[in-house]
Amino acid sequence: MAGAEIIGREELAEIQELFSREKVNLYRYGGGNYKTREFEEKFAAWMGVKYAHAVSSGTAAIHCALAGAGIGPGDEVITTAWTFIAPVEAMCALGAIPVPVEIDETYHLDPAEIEKAITPATKAVVAIPMWAPPKMEEIAAICKKHGLILIEDAAQALGASYKGQKLGTIGSVGSFSFDAGKTMHTGEGGMMVTNDKEIYERAAEFSDHGHMHIPGLPRGKDPRRAKGLNLRISEVTSAIGIAQLAKIDMILSKAKENKQRIKDGIRHLENITFRPFSDEAGSQGDTLIFKVRNREAALQFEAHLLEHGFGTKILPEAIEWHYAGIWSHLLGEIDRYRDADLEKLWPKTGQMLRSSICLNIPVLMDDATIEKLIKAIISASEKIG
Ligand SMILES: Cc1ncc(COP(=O)(O)O)c(C=O)c1O
């Protein structure tokens, strides 16, 4: 939940400031307000990149990132079989061919599987950090060796890093989401970041029907060089984003502290296995993943936690939205997947996800709640034997 837990006065003050101006304009390309510009500048500075472009959602952000990087019809894009469906939807919307590959022990796309999936049509790799870094060094080296564009959909991993470098800034372009489950929350919203001027400009154009935003030209006379959509953010959303961004360091450190306490309280349990990390220091605090014996044990574990007042996050209950092996409604439109049994394409990923538990770690957790959660996990572990 993170940012959504602590929405309040500061966000309202930013909105009030917007409405207190002589001429209220809620449109990002309208004159005189520019909350969006301020949000983008502050976000770019926090990320340590040259360009940030705010849009209407995380789905829009990865859509723009892909379009900005020049991904188009027929391009093969290698990604992970464990992700929320949005980036794969964006690839399909651009006419590209998603090529999900099996995850490794860190629950991220396996570098060895990337190598196997490369063909002459491969144009990019989309790394999707699930609250922790994939093996970015190896993935970046593969991309470099084969001339592929590295894109990071870091919707779930704002504030996570790999060997000190923030995720989203390692590849050519990165994207983030500000929906209700993410580190920062703005109702809906997303951000794309890059150091590449050409990618930035093309992505910004894509988010606004292709408008090239030539300074000095009236909007109606603005030229275009490629098609686009309306994926614009509103000034109200950006105002909320400015206030949320001011809280981000606190959100990240508090969740990390809470997660450490929970891990310390359950690390003696022999029938659960924490997922290993490519760089644990760079992982985020708001999610804890561990594996149990099998699917039955995971379902039993989940039911026990629910009885004690704690829900799980994505695994095992929302696997349908996060595993490529199930998306025949989307992948079935593509020739190579049309008659395939998708589950058989990524069996290791399906097996790992089905026997895993993923927990949300709130920012606002008092000592009593942390103790209660630790006890619930311990008793669940005793139950599954
Ligand atoms: C990897 C990934 N990309 C994109 C999105 C979509 O973000 P939004 O809900 O803001 O559209 C999500 C949402 O969970 C996600 O996990």
Side-chain angles (χ1 to χ4, degrees):
M1 289 289 284
E5 294 174 63
I6 50 171
I7 286 251
R9 273 200 298 275
E10 298 79 9
E11 287 74 9
L12 182 59
E14 282 290 343
I15 295 171
Q16 278 169 334
E17 202 269 324
L18 177 62
F19 276 80
S20 69
R21 295 181 182 186
E22 200 163 315
K23 184 174 177 300
V24 178
N25 189 338
L26 306 182
Y27 178 49
R28 78 156 293 175
Y29 295 114
N33 285 314
Y34 304 131
K35 284 284 181 196
T36 300
R37 198 175 293 167
E38 182 185 341
F39 183 31
E40 290 169 343
E41 282 170 9
K42 288 186 164 158
F43 196 89
W46 189 81
M47 292 298 299
V49 291
K50 284 193 192 148
Y51 309 103
H53 182 65
V55 288
S56 54
S57 70
T59 307
I62 183 61
H63 202 167
C64 289
L66 290 163
I71 304 301
D75 293 335
E76 293 180 12
V77 180
I78 297 172
T79 192
T80 156
W82 185 40
T83 165
F84 181 59
I85 197 169
V88 179
E89 289 171 326
M91 290 167 203
C92 292
L94 288 166
I97 300 168
V99 182
V101 299
E102 296 264 38
I103 56 175
D104 62 16
E105 73 288 356
T106 72
Y107 289 67
H108 293 113
L109 81 174
D110 185 336
E113 297 290 330
I114 297 176
E115 291 265 22
K116 281 196 246 163
I118 293 171
T119 74
T122 308
K123 182 136 181 201
V125 172
V126 177
I128 306 187
M130 297 301 264
W131 313 283
K135 293 175 183 158
M136 293 309 290
E137 226 160 44
E138 285 164 78
I139 295 171
I142 293 169
C143 288
K144 195 166 170 204
K145 180 171 144 201
H146 295 275
L148 307 176
I149 305 165
L150 176 55
I151 298 170
E152 293 170 85
D153 182 344
Q156 303 272 13
L158 176 59
S161 59
Y162 179 74
K163 300 196 175 167
Q165 188 171 353
K166 285 200 173 92
L167 297 185
T169 70
I170 295 172
S172 297
V173 55
S175 63
F176 300 93
S177 158
F178 308 134
D179 77 21
K182 305 301 191 295
T183 317
M184 260 178 61
H185 180 47
T186 59
E188 297 287 353
M191 191 75 81
M192 187 219 89
V193 297
T194 181
N195 285 310
D196 184 315
K197 190 161 184 277
E198 178 72 7
I199 291 180
Y200 165 68
E201 286 176 349
R202 287 195 173 267
E205 291 164 26
F206 184 78
S207 74
D208 188 23
H209 303 296
H211 274 278
M212 289 179 72
H213 308 127
I214 304 292
L217 277 187
R219 193 166 162 80
K221 298 280 180 224
D222 209 10
R224 65 241 137 233
R225 55 181 168 166
K227 66 185 176 187
L229 289 164
N230 174 6
L231 304 172
R232 295 186 300 258
I233 196 165
S234 94
E235 289 283 284
V236 178
T237 306
S238 294
I240 299 170
I242 291 167
Q244 282 271 299
L245 187 61
K247 300 176 181 178
I248 193 163
D249 292 320
M250 183 277 281
I251 291 172
L252 292 168
S253 71
K254 195 71 195 124
K256 231 174 183 168
E257 189 186 310
N258 291 343
K259 177 163 138 183
Q260 194 56 53
R261 286 182 62 188
I262 294 160
K263 265 186 114 167
D264 289 346
I266 60 173
R267 66 171 73 253
H268 63 284
L269 300 174
E270 283 175 3
N271 59 356
I272 69 171
T273 313
F274 294 132
R275 76 159 157 173
F277 294 96
S278 65
D279 175 13
E280 185 158 16
S283 83
Q284 255 188 339
D286 72 358
T287 304
L288 175 63
I289 297 179
F290 51 83
K291 219 164 154 308
V292 294
R293 198 174 52 251
N294 55 25
R295 174 71 171 164
E296 288 68 44
L299 292 174
Q300 234 187 330
F301 211 105
E302 177 196 25
H304 184 88
L305 288 179
L306 264 181
E307 273 169 34
H308 289 75
F310 296 101
T312 50
K313 166 177 172 177
I314 298 178
L315 302 176
E317 93 288 355
I319 186 176
E320 310 249 328
W321 290 97
H322 295 84
Y323 171 43
I326 290 164
W327 301 336
S328 51
H329 72 290
L330 182 64
L331 297 176
E333 291 180 351
I334 299 169
D335 284 347
R336 71 165 67 181
Y337 301 116
R338 203 176 307 279
D339 299 316
D341 178 347
L342 296 181
E343 290 257 8
K344 292 209 172 110
L345 296 181
W346 307 288
K348 178 182 169 197
T349 302
Q351 196 274 334
M352 269 175 77
L353 299 182
R354 289 198 166 89
S355 53
S356 296
I357 300 286
C358 185
L359 293 176
N360 175 52
I361 310 293
V363 172
L364 302 178
M365 266 189 126
D366 57 22
D367 290 350
T369 312
I370 290 179
E371 281 315 309
K372 196 173 156 204
L373 176 57
I374 290 173
K375 277 194 186 133
I377 296 173
I378 293 173
S379 56
S381 125
E382 282 160 2
K383 193 159 191 176
I384 62 169

